[in-house]
Amino acid sequence: MEKVLLAAHVLAGILFVGPVAVTASLFPRYAPVVGHPPGRGAPDRSVATALHRVTRGYGVLALVVPVVGLLLAGVQGRLGEVWITVAMVLTAVAGGLLALRVVPIQREALEAPDDGTRLRGLRTLTGVFNLLWAVVVVLMVVRPGAA
């Protein structure tokens, strides 16, 4: 059972969190900006809409990752280890950031484009989201203080 849960946890991370990291990062590049002239390198609303849809949809699917991770930690008897707790907290922060800030700002950027100010802030939030996931992955590999 442990190997099945581990495989499911890793696969879900790759298949669900990976695309969210990519689409959320690409969104500001393609989101509409007021006053940006059309042409080569111009924002593309249809691409931005697709990126938003993938970010939102795969963000929901990514809930599988911490759920399976908790089951795996329980089966392994590791729920009390500090690195698991830190990883859970960072995962919750990343998920909250995605659900409460990134996705709503993407939606706002599509509904009411501005001069790009909102997108600059979104780039920062997306970078923090991706950094949080990178730290969680490092914790999963290094497992500091593991028994």
Side-chain angles (χ1 to χ4, degrees):
M1 181 61 149
E2 182 179 335
K3 290 184 185 209
V4 170
L5 287 172
L6 179 58
H9 183 59
V10 171
L11 280 172
I14 292 167
L15 296 175
F16 301 144
V17 177
V20 171
V22 173
T23 58
S25 295
L26 286 173
F27 179 88
R29 162 74 178 82
Y30 292 99
V33 176
V34 171
H36 195 287
R40 187 171 185 191
D44 186 330
R45 183 187 253 331
S46 62
V47 172
T49 300
L51 292 169
H52 173 63
R53 192 174 309 124
V54 171
T55 301
R56 190 181 63 230
Y58 275 66
V60 171
L61 292 172
L63 291 170
V64 169
V65 177
V67 169
V68 173
L70 283 170
L71 289 172
L72 177 61
V75 167
Q76 292 177 333
R78 295 181 176 273
L79 282 174
E81 294 185 21
V82 173
W83 68 275
I84 293 286
T85 303
V86 171
M88 289 188 308
V89 168
L90 293 177
T91 298
V93 171
L97 184 62
L98 182 70
L100 301 175
R101 299 291 295 143
V102 173
V103 169
I105 291 172
Q106 286 182 348
R107 184 177 49 250
E108 291 168 10
L110 289 170
E111 291 172 354
D114 67 3
D115 63 355
T117 303
R118 181 186 301 125
L119 297 176
R120 284 188 288 281
L122 182 58
R123 283 185 182 98
T124 302
L125 291 173
T126 302
V128 170
F129 171 80
N130 289 334
L131 179 62
L132 289 168
W133 277 112
V135 171
V136 169
V137 169
V138 169
L139 286 171
M140 295 293 125
V141 172
V142 176
R143 301 187 308 189

